[in-house]
Amino acid sequence: MILESDERQALRRAVSDLAGKYGHDYYLRCTRAGEKTTELWQEAGRLGYLGVHVPEEYGGGGGGIGDLAAVCEELGAAGCPLLMMVVSPAICATVISRFGTPEQKRRWLPGLADGTKIFAFAITEPDAGSNSHKLTTTATRDGDGWLLSGRKTYISGIDEAEAVLVVGRTADERTGRLKPVLFVVPTDAPGFTAQQIPTELVAPEKQYNLFLDEVRLPDDALVGSADAGLLQLFAGLNPERIMASAFALGMARYALSRAVEYAKTRAVWGPPIGAHQAISHPLAACHIEVELARLMTREAAYLYDSGDDQAAGEAANMAKYAAGEATVKTVDQAIQTHGGNGLATEYGLATLLVASRLGRIAPVSREMILNFVAQHSLGLPRSY
């Protein structure tokens, strides 16, 4: 069940060919110029890669999250990791596809599928951290619409997004308890402001604090049903973890390929340095860990696409943990293999140091994944 079909393998080759036309130099050039990788994004959208998982009736390819993860991984392996793939098509399009009303699907899915619309996703809050039960962004009924107020932090790509899928809470009319709800909020809505967070991450996508001050929304901004908020939320979080794994693994594969190429050609004491076990063994270990993480990611995608959300949740967490660890180790070893050249701009590796840490931190930390596995997989007492 974790073997890939001929169609999936053909998809990987096609995406690799596309990304190869651009490459890591293009990615860094755009980033350092303060530009977006717009040409690559638009071409990937025109070719159907961004919407490969969206139902065909809405302009997509009718595939699954495993197909989209393959696209994301191959872009990264060619040196062009596109962070907004984890957000716009993977989270937002998936949630709307599964839970949106017919009108919401008609309105948003075609653009999300072909890349002409970009959505951001906002769940994290300054005082909530990884605890989604502490979210304070609140929606209240106001006539035939809603008023949304709150704060969000570390939200990617607001400067290129048309709208944000915001996770808030509203009172249950029967119990009065707060329950999660999701809204599509236009980035130009009155009362919506964004403030960029300076980071050391070398990437075209920027991070933002969001401030929502009684943002007035129409009734149809609520995605799906107010009673299905928790199901809708996890319908987006599992693909997010799967895609975060694919994003990290693409980066790891890129770094490993550069290191192997260098080790084959760099000669100091006679034979190429790759002939020495001090070089070859660490790279071989990285390759093993990357391939194991890829298998776990495929398993998670298979379970999700099969409709087994519970099993997919466990596998997606494991995949993300494995991918994060493998990527940090591989990027570090790739730089070490290059010696001083690993820090040179020419070799395109040093900029991955901060980016490789993303897999250990976001969208859920490695420590929270270990908590999840200890409690839900091993049956140990809850520790937090």
Side-chain angles (χ1 to χ4, degrees), residues 200-222:
E200 296 301 318
L201 178 64
V202 181
E205 300 88 1
K206 307 304 180 185
Q207 302 298 311
Y208 290 86
N209 288 316
L210 303 186
F211 304 90
L212 301 109
D213 183 13
E214 293 195 334
V215 176
R216 187 175 299 277
L217 299 169
D219 187 58
D220 64 359
L222 173 69

Side-chain angles (χ1 to χ4, degrees), residues 318-329:
M318 291 181 177
K320 186 192 169 295
Y321 178 90
E325 297 302 299
T327 300
V328 167
K329 179 177 178 179

